[in-house]
Amino acid sequence: ELNKMAGALLATVFVLMSVRLASDAIFHTELPEKPGYVIEAAEASGGEEAAGGEVAAVEPIAPLLASADAAAGETVFKKCASCHTVDNGGANKVGPNLYGIVGRGMGAHEGFNYSAALKEFGAGKSWDYEALSQFLQKPKAYIKGTAMGFAGVAKPDERANLIAYLRNQAATPVPLP
């Protein structure tokens, strides 16, 4: 009996090795000399942050707002629509309603429970154009510990369009800088 089990085990190992060798021969692939594409990931460096935990603005948003397209910003807002609404008196979702966000106090929308980090950071501050731009660029870098899990809008022109759209979502839009 022991010889039969040992023979079965050896036969199984022989068959598996043979199948592996045959499949390697049939499906052999060589790595290309040069990769077809390179995936680049931006790494955070100490140079991104200014004093006070704020992200250094790549460029001021004010000049871009002059030529911003609110209609294009509505398209960009679709990235935000799963968590936010912009209707007057609209309901809070995962994030607060953004109607009248430009000029509103940070963490001041009634009925929404903001993260402790945003409450602390935003005490006495309001969402002006530059603050919105920096926050939308990289929320977690601008306000350390924020609960907002959005990666951000990297392109300045898209941010300007989005801010122009959000500006129009108010009873009386805040004047452009």
Side-chain angles (χ1 to χ4, degrees):
E1 286 295 316
L2 188 59
N3 285 342
K4 288 181 186 178
M5 289 192 311
L9 177 65
L10 288 174
T12 303
V13 169
F14 175 75
V15 168
L16 289 175
M17 286 181 61
S18 299
V19 168
R20 181 177 180 272
L21 288 174
S23 68
D24 282 347
I26 294 170
F27 300 108
H28 177 71
T29 58
E30 293 184 22
L31 294 175
E33 292 178 18
K34 180 178 164 186
Y37 59 90
V38 178
I39 299 174
E40 295 181 25
E43 292 189 25
S45 66
E48 283 185 87
E49 296 180 12
E54 296 182 12
V55 175
V58 176
E59 67 181 272
I61 200 70
L64 295 172
L65 286 172
S67 61
D69 180 10
E74 185 174 7
T75 303
V76 178
F77 183 76
K78 290 179 182 175
K79 296 176 184 179
C80 313
S82 61
C83 298
H84 297 280
T85 60
V86 289
D87 305 323
N88 186 5
N92 294 323
K93 288 182 164 182
V94 174
N97 176 285
L98 299 178
Y99 184 81
I101 186 72
V102 180
R104 182 168 74 197
M106 290 184 180
H109 183 66
E110 236 176 90
F112 187 78
N113 186 21
Y114 289 93
S115 65
L118 196 138
K119 287 178 187 175
E120 182 181 329
F121 179 88
K125 298 178 185 174
S126 63
W127 287 115
D128 62 13
Y129 293 110
E130 288 301 325
L132 274 171
S133 178
Q134 290 181 17
F135 182 70
L136 291 171
Q137 181 180 359
K138 244 184 196 174
K140 290 202 179 278
Y142 184 65
I143 300 176
K144 300 281 186 211
T146 183
M148 186 162 161
F150 180 61
V153 179
K155 296 180 182 176
D157 58 329
E158 281 187 10
R159 272 197 321 276
N161 292 340
L162 176 59
I163 292 169
Y165 172 72
L166 291 172
R167 172 187 176 266
N168 290 341
Q169 307 307 310
T172 53
V174 174
L176 289 171

